[in-house]
Structure formats: structure tokens, C-alpha cells
Amino acid sequence: MQDRVRLLGIAVDTASTSAASDAAIGYIVEESCRFVYLVNSETLIILENNAEKENVLEDCDMILPGTLSVNTSIDEVLGYKRDPFFLEAYLNKIFDYAVENGSEIQLIAGSEEQYSSVQDSIHEKWSYLTLSGTYLDDQDSSYEHIVNEINSVAPDILILALNENMQLELLRDYRRQMNAGLILFTGNTLYNKAVAEAKVPESIEKLRIENIYKWFQKDSSGKNLFNNIKMKLRIKRDK
């Protein structure tokens, strides 16, 4: 994609849902290794003033907003509302294509809980999807282990749901060693979505604290809120 806007020095695509999803499906059809990174406020803050990692990220085929806060910040920096990008609709199109064409998807998550939550969330809507994967554990969470797991499957679509620093280092040091078609760096996006949509325990429902319960269940919710505020302030400063 060529139309990009800079957020804290990082060029993020301004593509609409339709344009971004069509491009992603085109990458799958090509059967060549392509990289799509879904950035959040933590990504931007980590990369700010870090030229080495920034350059690695900008080599991705697409850099898309992975959260609502980043999505709205794009319009704020542009000064107008662009053709909308909806992350959920973007992912829906990719998963629909995968089901229709029998594409194999592999999920690598940061923990067993994250893996199970994301897997259940995807299978609830796309029960016929061919989805395999693994998660990091205390015995072996090395980059070599991750790459070996990927290459043992060589999926059409690879979903990486890892912490930001690990994703960026994996992209920097192992991008040429990962044997997969479309590689989606999603961070905590899919896990947080799964938590938001999951049914809460009956005891929580009775107390009517579902929103509080889900907020604490989300991955690093307090940290995400702080990063969103920091990102907004720094973007306002730059303007």
C-alpha cells in the first residue's frame, strides 16, 4: 500500500476495509511470504525514536490500525475522515476467504489461556476453518522454537498473537526464516476481542460487574489505557 500517514514517526496505511482486505487476499493467492502488522499505541511508543525497529516495521507490506484509538488518530492527523477501516470486517473477509478456499491457518499465542480464548472465538463463527497452532510455555519460548513451529506447518495464513517486543524482534531477526503465506502480527488484539465477546461466569452476572470483570481479563488493560493516553498526547504535541 502506498497511502500512509505518520503517527509518532511510523507510517501507517490509510487504506479502507475493502482495499486492505482485497490486498491481503491477493497476498494469499500469490503464495509468497507477506507481512501485515496491526499497530496499537504500545507499538508506536516502543518504536518512537528507535530507528532500527522502525525501519524493520516499515518493510511490512501493510501497516494497519489494530485498535480504535490508532484508527481515530489517523483521521485526526489527516484532518478529515478517510474511507473507513474496520478491523473486525477486515479479519472477517480474510477468514471467510480461508473457509471458502480451504486455507490453513496457524495461530501462535503468548500463553495457553490466550491461545484457547482466540481459538474458541474464531471457531465459534468459522467452525469449518482449518486452524492449528501452539502457545509459548515456560519450557521453551525462544524465537527458534516459534520459527520451528511455523515451518513445521508452513500455513497459508499465520497469526502471531505475541507481546509487542517479541513480535518486533521476531520480525527483525527471523522474517526471512518464517515459511508462511500471509503473516499477521496481531499482538493482543484478537485476545482482547475474544474476552470482550466471551460469556462471563454466572456469579459475575449476578453481581452485575461484567464490564469490570472483562476489563481485568483483557491483556494489560491498564497499560493499554496509559499507552493510549500517552500516544494521543504525543500526537497532539507533534501537530
Side-chain angles (χ1 to χ4, degrees):
M1 307 298 292
Q2 294 182 347
D3 295 330
R4 288 180 168 178
V5 63
R6 289 200 171 270
L7 300 180
L8 302 185
I10 303 303
V12 182
D13 286 285
T14 61
S16 65
T17 305
S18 177
S21 56
D22 287 348
I25 291 170
Y27 296 156
I28 302 170
V29 173
E30 287 175 9
E31 297 184 353
S32 59
C33 189
R34 297 292 196 125
F35 300 86
V36 175
Y37 206 106
L38 302 178
V39 299
N40 55 40
S41 56
E42 183 180 4
T43 319
L44 299 177
I45 290 169
I46 289 174
L47 294 178
E48 190 179 23
N49 301 321
N50 189 325
E52 180 186 6
K53 287 184 177 179
E54 176 183 328
N55 291 336
V56 170
L57 185 61
E58 294 198 1
D59 284 338
C60 289
D61 298 280
M62 283 196 290
I63 304 171
L64 297 170
T67 60
L68 179 61
S69 61
V70 173
N71 199 21
T72 56
S73 293
I74 292 175
D75 288 345
E76 290 170 3
V77 172
L78 287 173
Y80 61 87
K81 284 190 175 295
R82 69 196 195 285
D83 288 343
F85 173 80
F86 299 108
L87 178 59
E88 185 170 356
Y90 168 78
L91 294 172
N92 286 350
K93 280 198 168 186
I94 293 175
F95 291 144
D96 286 343
Y97 174 87
V99 171
E100 291 171 6
N101 294 273
S103 303
E104 184 166 15
I105 299 182
Q106 184 182 30
L107 168 67
I108 308 292
S111 70
E112 182 177 6
E113 178 188 358
Q114 290 171 347
Y115 178 82
S116 297
S117 295
V118 174
Q119 183 186 48
D120 291 346
S121 176
I122 292 174
H123 270 155
E124 186 173 346
K125 188 170 183 179
W126 294 275
S127 58
Y128 295 105
L129 196 66
T130 305
L131 175 64
S132 63
T134 189
Y135 54 88
L136 307 186
D137 55 40
D138 295 334
Q139 294 182 344
D140 193 353
S141 59
S142 66
Y143 296 112
E144 290 80 4
H145 171 70
I146 296 172
V147 172
N148 287 338
E149 289 289 339
I150 295 168
N151 293 341
S152 67
V153 177
D156 300 302
I157 303 168
L158 171 65
I159 300 173
L160 294 171
L162 304 168
N163 72 63
E164 291 299 321
N165 280 307
M166 180 169 280
Q167 288 192 158
L168 291 167
E169 290 173 10
L170 189 63
L171 178 61
R172 181 190 64 192
D173 298 333
Y174 294 90
R175 60 177 294 151
R176 300 191 185 281
Q177 298 179 35
M178 291 186 284
N179 184 15
L182 172 64
I183 302 180
L184 295 169
F185 292 82
T186 68
N188 60 16
T189 298
L190 293 182
Y191 173 67
N192 287 343
K193 179 178 179 295
V195 170
E197 295 175 350
K199 182 176 176 59
V200 302
E202 186 177 346
S203 58
I204 299 298
E205 283 186 338
K206 289 180 178 179
L207 293 173
R208 297 184 179 180
I209 55 171
E210 295 95 329
N211 291 336
I212 296 175
Y213 173 82
K214 289 185 175 182
W215 191 84
F216 279 105
Q217 286 291 106
K218 288 183 178 180
D219 189 36
S220 304
S221 292
K223 183 180 179 182
N224 291 337
L225 177 61
F226 178 74
N227 284 333
N228 287 342
I229 295 171
K230 186 187 293 186
M231 177 193 70
K232 293 285 188 181
L233 290 174
R234 291 185 180 180
I235 288 175
K236 186 175 181 180
R237 173 204 65 192
D238 290 348
K239 290 180 66 177

